[in-house]
Amino acid sequence: MKALRPFWPLPALLVALLLPWLPGLPAFWVTLANYTGISSIVAIGLVVLTGISGMTSFGQATILGLGAYTTAVLSKYCDISPWLGLPAGLIVTAAGASLLGAVTVRLSGHYLALGTIAWSVGLYYTFANLDLLGRNDGISGIPPLTILDLKLLDGRASFSVIWIGVILAALATNNLLDSRAGRAIRALKGGAVAAASFGVDTPRTRLLAFVYAAVLAGFAGWLYAHMQRSVNPTPFGFYQSIQYLLMTVIGGAAHVPGALLGAVLVTTVNDRLQDILPRLFGAHGNYESIVFGMLLIAVLQWAPNGIWPLIARIRPRARIIRADALRLPARAMPAPGTTLLDVARLRRSFGGLVAVNDVDFKLAAGEIVGLIGPNGAGKSTTFNLITGIDTPTAGQVSFNGQDITGWPARRIAAAGIARTFQHVKLVPTMSVIENTAIGAHLRGHASALAGLLRLDRTEDARLYAEAARQLARVGLADMADRPATSLALGQQRIVEIARALCLDPVMLLLDEPAAGLRHNEKVELAALLRRLQGEGVTILLVEHDMEFVMGLVERLVVMDFGTKLAEGSAEQVRNDPRVIEAYLGSVE
Amino acid sequence: MSVLDVSSVTVGYGGITAITDITIAVDAGQIVTVIGPNGAGKSTLLNAIMGMLPSRGTIRFNGQNLAAEPIAARVGDGMSLVPEKRELFATMSVQDNLRLGFYRNRAQGKRAAQAALDDIYDLFPRLSERRRQDAGTLSGGERQMLAMGRALMARPCLLMLDEPSLGLAPLIVRDIFRTITALRQTGVAILLIEQNARAALQVADHAYVLETGRITLQGDSATLAADSRIVEMYLGRASPPMGG
Amino acid sequence: MDSTILAILLQDGVVNGAIYALLALSLVLVFAVTRVIYVAQGEFVAYGALTYAALDGGHLPGSVALLGVLGLAGCAAGLWQARGRLDRPAVLRLLGETIVLPAVIAVAAIILAPMKPGVLVEVLLTLAIVTPMSPLLYRIAFQPLADAPVLVLLIAAVALHLTLTGLGLVFFGPEGFRAPAFSDITITAGPLMIPGQALWIGGLTFALMTALFAFFERSLTGKALRATAVNRLGARLVGIPTERAGLIAFALAGFIGALSGVLIVPLTTVYYDSGFMIGLRGFTAAIIGGLGSYPGAVLAALLVGVAESFSSFWASAFKEVIVFTAIIPVLLWRSLRHGPAEEEE
């Protein structure tokens, strides 16, 4: 199989090196291609930020300016080699982005976007007013890049450098998205709660996406400064920032090739418009902004996913699972029968409403227990309190001898509690096995940088081997490479179980696992849960299908109005008049 | 004549069929209930009737086919829904919530609005006491009263109630059901969706049992109240087939 | 710095702050009703200012033609969006709002403009020309995106800003304009000389806020708008047509923008692209106020105005930097108070 996947960067590299020297190629085209290349790099960063993690920035041009000014000042005034301007520029952009990101990533997505507007306008005026940066005139006479003693002054030489840069940016981004950190970024789209439940530090992951996009913009800025050999504030304004966003959205915000496509389209159209529109309207001015604005709105309305998905068939790539990958270390299961979960006087009130009212129950290791009750009884809130999605008002949750009350979700996940969700939370753009692998997030350690540089392959193969093993365990091995949302809803619930198993959990919390399953699928699910129990996993499940739950569990906890109403075997509960009354209502 | 005629209605979303081939009718002045366990598709049915979900099949209201009529027009025709989550205007006063219930009839003038408001305060004196309070500060029972009051302000000929007893203490549930019975005198037809099967069967004339998206039983409420299959439906059969 | 300068700076800040407060209020309103962060509202300030300046000079403003263009586009968009469920009353209503109304306004403008009908009529005419553009834009740009996430709506709003700036250049030209003050009186109060325009701004802002308050507290339409903002589903269930609520919110925002432009053009030269920076200050205020609180927005707007006037005194080159980066500590404070990132659904 591997031979069929050509390694695209090699031919791309040849093109980058040879194309500009093609005889008869107009110099003008080379210049246009150079701008396209620089824009592509910024747009690729925005793919990660906007398309993949659902945030956006209206300040990428300004960040590009930050990188450009940094290297301009260093190389012009401090006589530092332009090559050293690169790491300096990247450090400055990363630091600036971290600052802005840190204050906004915990707020809803639009605050980051709004922050970038205000911030980039502020920074723009800083560029335009600082004497050091030459105010509105900017800095000119920036030294070009040199290789050995060769100065890269020619546009064709710049072409090679810039497009090698594009290739590197695309490679790095593909690598990142295919790594543990990248899966965490992609998981943000399935909901921050689900990601946090598998140990993803969601604010940090958002910050990572923002800083990564900024670093690529800074890189583009470095290329720009040494290609253009002069910088001034104009190309770093709000208008240019929107153009970068336009490229990403038009091309296909969630796809790296889409960013390239968008950059090519927008740069070319822009160039043509600047020719045509002044002829139509007479004077000079930013007439192309009319067209771009309308184009952007039209794309949002008619093709919200951009052009790339319309022309390319997007399929999750088939995974090759390395059978020789070392099994991940498994945690020791507690001795059967010992108290594993102890919920004591757990309480959660919202204003005057008490959703969970002093609830007590215990689970012994190796048990399967059902949590049932009528609609609105407080079962889901109880789940959220145990898993750290929500914080109790009072009471205590102990797990495996530790007091976990008030711990954040990802720490509770690390302690060995994995869950599924009543409303399935899979990432639609990822395949079944990629979704499953998110569950193993905490069992890997590779950093984003390691992922970017492909130093994480051994570990990643182990994570994928684990995901494949868990899929096989739940009977979905042959679905591994299908897009997650192409499965029936019932099967998606089973994928969630596989994902939860990837955490190597001590305890599984299942929220309505049987909903949407057909009869024989329910029988299989019951068998699976029993098998898991046999392997030492403790299971607590909320379920409305009484036949299913009563046939499966050893013990039931019944809740009503936030309080524990009854506890006991299926038979005891079924015949308990209070339970019957809770379900069927009372007769006056 | 039937106020509401739902025939062969099917609703599917997100790749699953939530309700299949549902046929029910509500006659003028009648209380009809649809009972069934959680997840059976009861709310889906009401949302389809109200036009909040697209559906296949026909829904006739006072003889008129509703097809693609938007919600606002259905309210104008005399259909009111009290949703499961009440959907009150939390930061507005009780009185404002009620006045907004009159929105579709606003052309009738201030006097008609005041008359409607007085009627609601007669029906729920509690709301009158709290008229200046924000809706968000009300207790669960009061919220349900306000939601019902707001729906009744539109002077509907069909009132649809989605789980009015949900999350309410037994004493308050009793009050709510008394009100439902009292409303029968005003001539409004009521379609009641309930999990609390016993209370619902006690006030209703006719009942449908909805299980996993299909009507499995229907008939006279008194007859169904005595049917042992109802208990099984909620709490499962004595010997589950899930063995192994 | 002596107390006279202090007083002058404060006065300047409050006058500007009043304008920002109006803009911030309408941003909060539009966001609450439609979830659109109306970045393009600033363009209405420029349009209002330039339209008033043209009328004041006895010329037919370019915005009249723009209104016609937008009317036609709005009509086309409305017909397309409602295809398949169009009945006579709906079509007539659409034609009335998108074709007849702009046509009437245009005719009035063509007749009145050369007559130099005086400040009051010119102001009213300006408002009549500019205000309807905002709901037309809502129809064209945002109605089809009604269910889209906030972020997509924000990108669309930014795109709209881009288009409107370009259109401003086409219809108003690149020159800047300034109009004479409404009146020449100056009131002397101690060390302060309060120019008439400042009083106009203060007075009209106060009157408008009172009117808005009365509208939202007293009228059923105002309450319906609030209800839509508080609970969209609840509003639909009582039969409030929520799309119309969006149109009304946008109309209010357009009106406030145009009025702000009229008020500000005697104070400063306005260009086709000046609106964005003015709007952005209203915007900063709205964010500092939390995007959900009306009093918070007004207070923050006054602070932004005062901060701006003081920073232009001390470090005029960096006043934008100071005003806009003030947002960062506020966001930080919100972020720390907020706790873990919320689920966006």
Side-chain angles (χ1 to χ4, degrees):
Chain A
M1 283 302 283
K2 208 151 191 176
L4 290 175
R5 288 178 50 87
F7 188 60
W8 62 265
L10 281 181
L13 190 67
L14 281 178
V15 171
L17 288 173
L18 299 178
L19 183 72
W21 306 101
L22 207 68
L25 191 71
F28 168 71
W29 283 105
V30 174
T31 310
L32 201 62
N34 287 351
Y35 283 114
T36 308
I38 288 175
S39 303
S40 305
I41 296 173
V42 182
I44 288 171
L46 278 177
V47 162
V48 174
L49 185 65
T50 300
I52 311 273
S53 43
M55 300 181 287
T56 206
S57 160
F58 294 108
Q60 290 312 91
T62 317
I63 296 175
L64 183 147
L66 205 55
Y69 271 111
T70 306
T71 191
V73 168
L74 289 178
S75 58
K76 170 112 190 258
Y77 299 131
C78 310
D79 261 341
I80 287 173
S81 155
W83 291 104
L84 289 176
L86 177 60
L90 296 190
I91 288 169
V92 169
T93 46
S98 305
L99 176 75
L100 183 66
V103 303
T104 50
V105 283
R106 288 158 74 90
L107 300 171
S108 355
H110 52 271
Y111 278 101
L112 176 72
L114 295 172
T116 58
I117 295 183
W119 190 66
S120 79
V121 172
L123 208 54
Y124 175 85
Y125 281 98
T126 311
F127 293 157
N129 286 296
L130 276 184
D131 285 327
L132 171 68
L133 304 182
R135 296 178 166 264
N136 278 311
D137 298 329
I139 301 170
S140 51
I142 303 169
L145 292 175
T146 48
I147 295 179
L148 298 175
D149 276 335
L150 187 70
K151 289 188 169 177
L152 301 180
L153 287 166
D154 191 294
R156 285 171 292 190
S158 297
F159 179 97
S160 298
V161 175
I162 289 170
W163 281 91
I164 289 172
V166 175
I167 294 167
L168 288 177
L171 257 182
T173 306
N174 276 339
N175 288 352
L176 174 68
L177 292 177
D178 185 36
S179 73
R180 173 176 172 272
R183 279 191 299 278
I185 292 177
R186 296 165 79 187
L188 293 175
K189 272 252 165 124
V193 165
S197 299
F198 292 99
V200 174
D201 184 341
T202 48
R204 256 189 78 179
T205 306
R206 285 164 187 243
L207 187 61
L208 170 68
F210 183 61
V211 171
Y212 181 74
V215 162
L216 281 190
F219 176 47
W222 173 76
L223 286 169
Y224 177 89
H226 294 293
M227 179 196 90
Q228 189 78 7
R229 308 211 22 234
S230 71
V231 289
N232 67 66
T234 313
F236 308 139
F238 186 56
Y239 174 65
Q240 275 66 29
S241 292
I242 300 172
Q243 283 215 344
Y244 292 126
L245 192 61
L246 178 70
M247 293 171 190
T248 314
V249 173
I250 285 185
H255 310 279
V256 173
L260 263 73
L261 179 69
V264 170
L265 282 176
V266 172
T267 317
T268 319
V269 171
N270 197 6
D271 175 64
R272 299 284 69 217
L273 287 179
Q274 280 175 348
D275 238 23
I276 298 166
L277 290 178
R279 269 184 246 161
L280 279 179
F281 294 119
H284 280 280
N286 262 350
Y287 294 119
E288 61 276 12
S289 68
I290 305 175
V291 179
F292 279 134
M294 295 198 300
L295 198 60
L296 187 46
I297 292 175
V299 170
L300 292 176
Q301 288 185 0
W302 302 90
N305 296 321
I307 296 174
W308 182 252
L310 300 179
I311 57 176
R313 271 187 60 192
I314 313 267
R315 260 185 319 194
R317 91 169 221 237
R319 286 276 154 192
I320 298 136
I321 300 303
R322 295 236 306 266
D324 58 340
L326 225 58
R327 280 272 282 263
L328 292 168
R331 76 178 98 220
M333 290 290 170
T338 54
T339 302
L340 183 65
L341 180 76
D342 188 350
V343 174
R345 304 197 66 75
L346 193 65
R347 187 179 187 79
R348 177 69 171 108
S349 45
F350 302 94
L353 186 84
V354 185
V356 175
N357 191 355
D358 294 346
V359 168
D360 296 280
F361 62 88
K362 285 182 188 177
L363 251 72
E367 261 192 313
I368 302 188
V369 172
L371 183 61
I372 64 168
N375 215 336
K379 309 178 297 281
S380 287
T381 312
T382 306
F383 256 40
N384 287 343
L385 293 175
I386 296 174
T387 51
I389 301 296
D390 197 356
T391 316
T393 315
Q396 204 187 29
V397 182
S398 307
F399 178 70
N400 222 349
Q402 267 174 308
D403 180 1
I404 61 166
T405 323
W407 283 18
R410 57 175 193 279
R411 198 165 159 210
I412 291 178
I417 299 184
R419 69 174 294 181
T420 68
F421 295 90
Q422 186 189 351
H423 303 288
V424 173
K425 291 183 193 289
L426 296 175
V427 188
T429 53
M430 291 169 79
S431 69
V432 167
I433 192 163
E434 286 169 338
N435 266 292
T436 310
I438 293 171
H441 185 80
L442 285 173
R443 300 175 77 186
H445 307 282
S447 66
L449 195 63
L452 208 92
L453 300 172
R454 274 291 192 248
L455 302 174
D456 63 338
R457 288 300 91 186
T458 320
E459 180 188 282
D460 222 50
R462 292 176 73 188
L463 296 182
Y464 269 105
E466 174 70 10
R469 210 166 61 84
Q470 298 304 345
L471 277 178
R473 198 170 174 195
V474 301
L476 288 177
D478 48 342
M479 304 278 184
D481 294 320
R482 301 249 314 253
T485 39
S486 71
L487 268 56
L489 199 64
Q491 284 176 320
Q492 293 185 35
R493 290 185 186 285
I494 307 298
V495 175
E496 283 213 331
I497 296 180
R499 181 176 64 181
L501 289 172
C502 273
L503 183 77
D504 186 25
V506 177
M507 184 168 83
L508 267 182
L509 263 55
L510 309 176
D511 204 344
E512 299 201 31
L517 291 188
R518 285 187 282 269
H519 181 79
N520 52 342
E521 290 171 331
K522 283 182 193 169
V523 176
E524 282 172 31
L525 175 63
L528 168 68
L529 297 183
R530 287 233 175 73
R531 224 163 42 235
L532 291 176
Q533 182 193 21
E535 292 163 28
V537 181
T538 312
I539 300 172
L540 176 65
L541 74 162
V542 164
E543 185 52 67
H544 282 302
D545 185 326
M546 288 301 159
E547 276 181 33
F548 175 79
V549 74
M550 295 220 170
L552 177 71
V553 304
E554 287 140 24
R555 209 152 54 80
L556 283 162
V557 175
V558 189
M559 282 181 74
D560 193 22
F561 289 116
T563 46
K564 188 172 82 175
L565 188 69
E567 190 172 354
S569 72
E571 208 53 42
Q572 285 168 329
V573 162
R574 202 197 325 267
N575 296 319
D576 189 324
R578 288 171 308 170
V579 175
I580 295 175
E581 194 175 312
Y583 271 88
L584 276 80
S586 54
V587 187
E588 286 297 314
Chain B
M1 189 187 93
S2 294
V3 175
L4 178 74
D5 247 315
V6 173
S7 75
S8 310
V9 162
T10 297
V11 179
Y13 47 85
I16 56 160
T17 310
I19 53 173
T20 312
D21 201 23
I22 303 289
T23 299
I24 64 167
V26 182
D27 287 349
Q30 218 184 13
I31 300 180
V32 172
T33 185
V34 177
I35 56 174
N38 228 325
K42 304 189 297 292
S43 292
T44 305
L45 174 62
L46 281 198
N47 290 341
I49 296 173
M50 199 64 207
M52 283 151 57
L53 283 175
S55 58
R56 277 173 287 141
T58 53
I59 298 169
R60 285 177 178 281
F61 184 56
N62 285 328
Q64 183 201 349
N65 193 343
L66 291 182
E69 223 177 64
I71 301 177
R74 292 181 200 222
V75 176
D77 292 348
M79 202 182 246
S80 273
L81 170 66
V82 180
E84 184 183 318
K85 291 189 175 146
R86 323 309 194 222
E87 309 294 354
L88 299 173
F89 308 122
T91 53
M92 300 174 77
S93 71
V94 166
Q95 182 132 314
D96 280 350
N97 268 272
L98 290 174
R99 282 197 191 282
L100 283 164
F102 200 69
Y103 188 82
R104 291 306 294 180
N105 303 336
R106 65 194 184 285
Q108 293 172 19
K110 283 219 156 95
R111 189 167 301 179
Q114 190 57 46
L117 197 57
D118 290 341
D119 286 352
I120 300 303
Y121 285 149
D122 283 344
L123 191 63
F124 302 108
R126 195 61 181 272
L127 293 182
S128 177
E129 291 164 25
R130 318 234 156 199
R131 64 175 81 191
R132 309 233 171 276
Q133 238 172 282
D134 275 2
T137 64
L138 299 182
S139 72
E142 291 163 347
R143 278 176 211 217
Q144 179 57 33
M145 288 177 205
L146 180 56
M148 285 173 72
R150 188 180 69 178
L152 288 168
M153 282 293 287
R155 307 238 187 228
C157 48
L158 174 68
L159 179 69
M160 297 190 280
L161 302 168
D162 195 350
E163 307 260 9
S165 75
L166 184 68
L168 300 183
L171 268 177
I172 297 165
V173 171
R174 202 177 60 192
D175 279 353
I176 297 286
F177 276 95
R178 275 196 192 135
T179 311
I180 293 172
T181 319
L183 281 175
R184 185 206 295 272
Q185 319 304 328
T186 66
V188 61
I190 294 174
L191 178 57
L192 170 68
I193 296 291
E194 256 301 346
Q195 197 179 204
N196 188 333
R198 285 182 175 162
L201 290 173
Q202 207 175 28
V203 298
D205 303 300
H206 195 83
Y208 296 89
V209 176
L210 192 63
E211 265 185 289
T212 54
R214 287 170 191 279
I215 302 276
T216 50
L217 277 177
Q218 65 160 303
D220 193 53
S221 294
T223 322
L224 278 185
D227 198 316
S228 63
R229 283 175 292 182
I230 303 277
V231 181
E232 272 179 17
M233 172 181 83
Y234 280 93
L235 291 171
R237 265 162 284 173
S239 55
M242 289 292 157
Chain C
M1 156 190 274
D2 59 31
S3 63
T4 315
I5 295 179
L6 183 79
I8 289 173
L9 289 179
L10 261 180
Q11 176 197 317
D12 257 19
V14 170
V15 168
N16 286 336
I19 301 275
Y20 305 152
L22 285 178
L23 297 174
L25 276 182
S26 50
L27 281 168
V28 172
L29 170 72
V30 167
F31 181 69
V33 176
T34 63
R35 296 179 304 124
V36 173
I37 299 174
Y38 199 17
V39 181
Q41 201 210 6
E43 269 56 56
F44 283 81
V45 179
Y47 285 12
L50 294 172
T51 303
Y52 175 68
L55 286 173
D56 184 70
H59 311 293
L60 184 67
S63 43
V64 173
L66 179 56
L67 177 62
V69 172
L70 289 179
L72 288 174
C75 183
L79 288 174
W80 170 257
Q81 286 155 22
R83 66 192 181 281
R85 48 189 171 84
L86 273 172
D87 48 11
R88 249 177 94 91
V91 172
L92 287 178
R93 186 170 202 172
L94 183 68
L95 289 178
E97 285 169 9
T98 58
I99 306 290
V100 180
L101 181 70
V104 170
I105 293 168
V107 170
I110 291 166
I111 295 171
L112 289 171
M115 294 161 63
K116 289 211 182 182
V119 173
L120 181 64
V121 177
E122 284 163 9
V123 170
L124 292 178
L125 196 54
T126 301
L127 296 174
I129 295 168
V130 180
T131 305
M133 294 182 192
S134 186
L136 285 170
L137 290 168
Y138 175 70
R139 253 185 220 289
I140 299 164
F142 296 107
Q143 201 128 294
L145 295 171
D147 299 320
V150 174
L151 193 67
V152 169
L153 292 171
L154 176 59
I155 295 176
V158 167
L160 189 64
H161 149 70
L162 213 58
T163 302
L164 290 184
T165 313
L167 289 173
L169 178 59
V170 172
F171 287 93
F172 292 108
E175 303 86 26
F177 290 94
R178 195 162 172 168
F182 293 176
S183 67
D184 303 325
I185 20 164
T186 306
I187 291 175
T188 318
L192 270 186
M193 303 245 297
I194 306 173
Q197 193 64 23
L199 290 175
W200 272 107
I201 292 178
L204 274 179
T205 303
F206 184 74
L208 190 59
M209 280 185 192
T210 315
L212 281 176
F213 182 78
F215 173 69
F216 286 114
E217 287 297 318
R218 298 268 173 266
S219 77
L220 193 65
T221 309
K223 284 176 186 170
L225 219 55
R226 268 170 70 204
T228 308
V230 174
N231 188 330
R232 205 180 178 75
L233 180 57
R236 291 172 73 196
L237 285 174
V238 296
I240 296 170
T242 47
E243 329 70 68
R244 288 213 73 80
L247 286 173
I248 295 171
F250 266 71
L252 266 174
F255 176 83
I256 290 175
L259 183 67
S260 307
V262 171
L263 289 174
I264 222 167
V265 71
L267 298 180
T268 174
T269 307
V270 176
Y271 297 84
Y272 73 97
D273 62 351
S274 302
F276 178 61
M277 291 303 279
I278 300 170
L280 207 51
R281 291 180 170 85
F283 205 69
T284 307
I287 297 168
I288 292 176
L291 261 184
S293 148
Y294 296 92
V298 172
L299 203 67
L302 291 174
L303 278 178
V304 168
V306 171
E308 184 190 5
S309 89
F310 276 81
S311 52
S312 61
F313 178 76
W314 276 312
S316 91
F318 291 98
K319 75 173 192 203
E320 271 85 4
V321 182
I322 293 169
V323 168
F324 294 126
T325 40
I327 219 173
I328 308 263
V330 177
L331 289 177
L332 176 64
W333 175 70
R334 283 192 178 282
S335 171
L336 290 178
R337 234 182 38 147
H338 190 277
E342 73 218 44
E343 188 85 327
E344 282 159 48
E345 271 176 321

